[in-house]
Amino acid sequence: MSETNKVDEAPVPVEGLNHVAIAVPDLDAAVAFYREKFGCTVTKIVEVESQGVRMAYVKLADAKLELMEPLNEYSPIAKFLKRNPKGGIHHICLTVPDVAEAADGALVAGIRVLGDGKPVKGYEGQDLFFMHPKDTLGTLIEIEEPEN
Ligand code: CO
């Protein structure tokens, strides 16, 4: 199959990869692992109450790894770790030029936006949303705007 052309006016116009998120049972151990074994720079750890996680980012040249540990047993990450006790890839995050427009576009295109259909706040207060994996080929996809 040949490469396809970019569609103008796609409902969720993806431009890049922001991060791949990994659920971990022990965030401090995961941070130490990436620092010591792989020599990576890792950001400070932040608690994101609204998402029920403690998290940090492993900085890579062109994207990040998001390490997430559940804050409590009600966290969606706690449920994930019940099924995957050693942790594992949880979601990918793609970037769009405008998060609010992309959330509306997803809904119009029949892709469910988790929560109340509106963007929520992330690690540094940035807007983001998640799409239902049943509507996105089985992968949980987060949408953000690029940093800077
Ligand atoms: Co994420």
Side-chain angles (χ1 to χ4, degrees), residues 18-21 51 55 57 66 68 90-93 128 130 142 144:
N18 183 283
H19 61 263
V20 174
Q51 292 186 53
M55 62 203 297
Y57 287 101
E66 181 176 84
M68 308 179 295
H90 181 264
H91 67 266
I92 62 171
C93 178
L128 60 89
F130 288 90
E142 178 183 13
E144 287 186 20

Side-chain angles (χ1 to χ4, degrees), residues 43-115:
T43 65
K44 69 176 170 24
I45 291 173
V46 168
E47 285 190 8
V48 184
E49 205 82 47
S50 61
Q51 292 186 53
V53 294
R54 277 177 85 220
M55 62 203 297
Y57 287 101
V58 178
K59 293 180 161 182
L60 304 174
D62 38 20
K64 295 175 292 188
L65 300 177
E66 181 176 84
L67 303 175
M68 308 179 295
E69 172 194 82
L71 271 181
N72 54 53
E73 61 183 302
Y74 309 107
S75 166
I77 303 308
K79 289 180 201 120
F80 181 90
L81 287 174
K82 261 191 194 132
R83 296 192 306 271
N84 309 276
K86 294 188 170 188
I89 294 178
H90 181 264
H91 67 266
I92 62 171
C93 178
L94 304 174
T95 58
V96 299
D98 186 309
V99 164
E101 268 181 28
D104 290 343
L107 292 168
V108 169
I111 300 170
R112 283 168 285 178
V113 171
L114 299 186

